[in-house]
């Protein structure tokens, strides 16, 4: 048995999003989703199992993780231990390429890296599909950080059928995700709690009814490089997701006034010929999906907006992989 391994995994931005589970234990979603890996938002994780460890131990960016974070990592490690037939406890060190307080959700990159490193350290030899399913058990969106470039995560009733696969490699299309950080704080409602409220919104069933159309259009536009069609659906899908969040009981509002200001700005830039569309995950920071030729102009305009605290520029990139450089 290997016992120690390190993996690196990117976060991803969903072009079509999931919200709500068909199975909240296995993190099985109600609809397919399509995403792009984010080159500047990566997590590197080393996992070591040892008979000498009495309990699981987790450090993030050199600091002891909170009890909640450690519990969540332990629950994910339990799935790995069960698959490998071991009961050894683990030491986990994790480092993010983006600052912890940047308002960037690290759960996708963190759980994809934990799945890939943990499986190897436990002596498992899993293929990409199995690793994607395993990553999903830590955080749904982590399933999409395993394959390369642009991925589609399939909704299914069974654990082994709900995995993400690559629709196109990173070099297929060098579009950009420019993330404008307007709030560095932790979100009030974590996504797992938010997912559980989805069905309380009267708009949820309407959203699910148009997800197939959103996915078909985004997949086609991505493969044919039809930027305007893709951007239009990406923006619409995000707005529909937030309409569900806002109308759930209790109402969840991830946007703040800066998010609304940016949304209006991006739409007015578009009217001036700058091809840019906005999408928001469970947080206030807009991800601006654009083409490389608009990068400098968008960066210039974002820097003029006082609410924008920092900016992260991402390209599509490869998915999770093992590396030969341990963190401890
Ligand atoms: O996988 P989670 O629990 O971090 O949920 C992700 C939820 C959204 O980011 C809002 C949508 C998505 O598909 O990524």
């Amino acid at each position: 048995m290997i016992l120690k391994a390190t993996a690196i995994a990117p976060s991803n931005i969903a072009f079509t999003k999931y919200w709500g589970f068909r199975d909240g234990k296995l993190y099985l979603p109600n609809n397919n989703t399509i995403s792009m890996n984010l080159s500047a938002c990566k997590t590197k994780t080393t996992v070591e199992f040892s008979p000498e460890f009495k309990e699981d131990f987790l450090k993030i960016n050199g600091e002891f993780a909170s009890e909640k974070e450690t519990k969540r990592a332990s629950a994910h490690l339990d799935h790995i231990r069960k698959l490998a037939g071991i009961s050894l406890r683990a030491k986990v060190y994790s480092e993010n390429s983006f600052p912890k307080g940047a308002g960037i959700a690290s759960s996708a990159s963190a759980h994809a890296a934990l799945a890939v490193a943990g499986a190897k350290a436990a002596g498992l030899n899993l293929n990409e599909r199995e690793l994607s399913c395993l990553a999903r058990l830590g955080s749904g969106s982590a399933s999409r950080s395993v394959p390369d470039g642009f991925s589609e995560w399939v909704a299914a009733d069974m654990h082994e059928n709900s995995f993400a696969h690559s629709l196109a490699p990173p070099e297929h299309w060098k579009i950009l995700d420019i993330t404008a950080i307007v709030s560095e704080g932790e979100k009030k409602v974590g996504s797992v709690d938010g997912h559980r409220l989805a069905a309380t919104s009267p708009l949820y069933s309407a959203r699910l009814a148009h997800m197939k159309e959103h996915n078909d259009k985004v997949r086609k536009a991505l493969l044919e490089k039809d930027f305007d069609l893709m951007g239009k659906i990406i923006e619409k899908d995000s707005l529909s997701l937030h309409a569900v969040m806002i109308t759930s009981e209790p109402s969840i509002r991830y946007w703040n006034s800066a998010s609304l200001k940016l949304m209006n700005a991006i739409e007015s830039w578009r009217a001036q010929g700058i091809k840019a569309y906005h999408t928001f995950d469970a947080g206030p920071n807009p991800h601006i999906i654009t083409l490389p030729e608009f990068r400098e102009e968008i960066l210039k305009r974002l820097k003029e907006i006082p609410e924008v605290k920092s900016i992260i520029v991402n390209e599509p990139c490869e998915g999770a992989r093992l590396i030969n450089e341990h963190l401890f």
Side-chain angles (χ1 to χ4, degrees):
M1 206 170 129
I2 286 182
L3 293 175
K4 188 171 184 175
T6 301
I8 188 155
S11 184
N12 66 75
I13 180 69
F15 289 168
T16 57
K17 303 185 192 281
Y18 98 101
W19 198 241
F21 303 120
R22 69 174 70 186
D23 183 322
K25 276 200 183 120
L26 295 176
Y27 296 166
L28 294 173
N30 280 319
N31 56 270
N32 286 23
T33 58
I34 295 174
S35 65
M36 173 182 124
N37 286 341
L38 300 176
S39 62
C41 299
K42 290 188 176 158
T43 300
K44 193 196 276 183
T45 297
T46 300
V47 178
E48 181 178 23
F49 290 101
S50 166
E52 284 168 21
F53 305 151
K54 298 276 169 287
E55 55 190 353
D56 291 328
F57 164 104
L58 170 65
K59 266 192 169 181
I60 303 175
N61 295 337
E63 286 173 22
F64 287 106
S66 67
E67 204 185 321
K68 197 175 161 201
E69 288 166 325
T70 308
K71 262 194 174 165
R72 189 155 175 194
S74 265
H76 200 185
L77 288 165
D78 285 342
H79 289 290
I80 297 170
R81 285 187 274 256
K82 196 171 162 203
L83 262 183
I86 60 171
S87 57
L88 302 175
R89 299 291 109 185
K91 213 184 235 189
V92 180
Y93 277 53
S94 211
E95 270 174 13
N96 294 323
S97 67
F98 46 99
K100 196 173 180 198
I104 294 286
S106 59
S107 70
S109 53
H111 288 282
L114 185 66
V116 172
K120 188 72 187 173
L124 292 164
N125 264 321
L126 305 182
N127 61 30
E128 183 185 280
R129 174 175 170 163
E130 292 164 330
L131 286 169
S132 174
C133 289
L134 183 60
R136 194 203 72 237
L137 293 172
S139 170
S141 53
S143 63
R144 295 186 306 238
S145 289
V146 173
D148 288 342
F150 301 89
S151 303
E152 179 158 2
W153 170 24
V154 185
D157 281 328
M158 281 164 63
H159 164 69
E160 53 277 21
N161 293 337
S162 186
F163 61 95
H165 59 92
S166 183
L167 287 176
E171 49 295 351
H172 167 68
W173 202 9
K174 288 286 177 197
I175 57 178
L176 300 177
D177 170 316
I178 301 182
T179 312
I181 310 299
V182 297
S183 167
E184 297 163 339
E186 284 236 345
K187 50 191 171 212
K188 280 179 261 139
V189 183
S191 53
V192 174
D193 295 330
H195 286 294
R196 301 196 197 285
L197 295 177
T200 66
S201 163
L203 304 186
Y204 189 54
S205 53
R207 171 169 166 79
L208 290 182
H210 59 230
M211 285 314 295
K212 182 173 179 327
E213 184 202 325
H214 284 188
N215 282 314
D216 288 347
K217 285 190 172 154
V218 168
R219 191 186 311 105
K220 184 169 185 288
L222 171 66
L223 297 176
E224 291 173 0
K225 302 187 188 172
D226 181 343
F227 189 74
D228 287 326
L229 173 64
M230 193 172 84
K232 199 173 135 198
I233 307 296
I234 288 176
E235 208 171 90
K236 196 170 161 199
D237 189 80
S238 167
L239 292 170
S240 136
L241 171 86
H242 283 265
V244 168
M245 292 162 163
I246 291 165
T247 51
S248 70
E249 273 182 46
S251 170
I252 319 172
R253 272 155 285 177
Y254 288 111
W255 293 335
N256 60 23
S257 55
S259 318
L260 294 168
K261 180 171 173 179
L262 265 291
M263 239 182 263
N264 291 333
I266 294 158
E267 287 167 32
S268 73
W269 300 344
R270 202 156 67 226
Q272 296 160 17
I274 295 174
K275 290 185 187 284
Y277 294 86
H278 53 78
T279 179
F280 293 76
D281 278 343
N285 302 318
H287 289 247
I288 304 169
I289 309 301
T290 189
L291 293 167
E293 55 265 42
F294 300 107
R295 173 193 170 121
E296 291 317 314
E297 184 60 30
I298 291 175
L299 290 179
K300 187 177 138 252
R301 292 183 184 214
L302 285 176
K303 283 175 190 157
E304 285 163 6
I305 301 177
E307 288 87 345
V308 176
K309 300 194 164 79
S310 57
I311 302 166
I312 302 177
V313 182
N314 296 281
E315 291 184 344
C317 68
E318 59 188 14
R321 58 206 56 230
L322 288 163
I323 56 167
N324 274 327
E325 176 204 322
H326 301 314
L327 287 172
F328 65 95

